[in-house]
Amino acid sequence: QVQLIESGGGLVQAGGSLRLSCVLSERTGRRYVMGWFRQAPGKEREIVAAASWSGDTTYVADSVKGRFTISRVDTKSTYLEMNSLEPEDTAVYYCTAGSVSSGSYVYRQAADFGSWGQGTQVTVSS
């Protein structure tokens, strides 16, 4: 029912910045928590950040807190601003969405998100 398209990945030097974008396509008018997970080679997929439907409530993982910012400028898009990138940030970043009834509710577990994008590669060199 939901299609997610990510963009903005690429190669950047340590200390640099990237902005990831994700656009959600659906026709029901449902509300969605949207967020980002990442997975490095040989490692488990982990949450990076998530934002409520309204954008008023956000969650950011401790590993990127202070460097990454998630935003919801509208109900169908999410953006991940990544600053001060480090080599350990190298991973495939996946946009995700999960339906909710509350405008301020945020999911943190992968199982709570029902829709996933194909992923965009972020590579940080040093």
Side-chain angles (χ1 to χ4, degrees):
Q1 294 182 334
V2 177
Q3 180 175 284
L4 299 169
I5 301 177
E6 305 117 320
S7 63
L11 175 65
V12 65
Q13 288 186 288
S17 300
L18 285 174
R19 181 177 186 251
L20 304 185
S21 300
C22 179
V23 178
L24 180 153
S25 178
E26 65 95 46
R27 300 178 180 179
T28 66
R30 294 174 182 172
R31 300 173 179 178
Y32 294 90
V33 172
M34 297 185 73
W36 296 89
F37 282 69
R38 68 183 182 184
Q39 187 167 25
K43 296 187 177 181
E44 298 180 3
R45 187 173 297 188
E46 62 179 356
I47 190 169
V48 177
S52 66
W53 172 83
S54 67
D56 294 335
T57 305
T58 62
Y59 167 81
V60 181
D62 289 342
S63 60
V64 301
K65 196 173 185 66
R67 299 188 296 118
F68 292 12
T69 302
I70 188 170
S71 63
R72 296 284 296 276
V73 296
D74 58 53
T75 61
K76 298 296 181 65
S77 302
T78 186
Y79 303 92
L80 185 68
E81 297 282 354
M82 305 186 294
N83 299 308
S84 300
L85 284 162
E86 304 167 353
E88 52 264 41
D89 294 318
T90 296
V92 176
Y93 284 70
Y94 297 90
C95 180
T96 187
S99 62
V100 293
S101 59
S102 172
S104 61
Y105 193 79
V106 176
Y107 295 140
R108 300 183 185 182
Q109 302 296 320
D112 293 325
F113 293 93
S115 302
W116 296 83
Q118 293 299 114
T120 184
Q121 177 71 46
V122 172
T123 302
V124 184
S125 65
S126 61

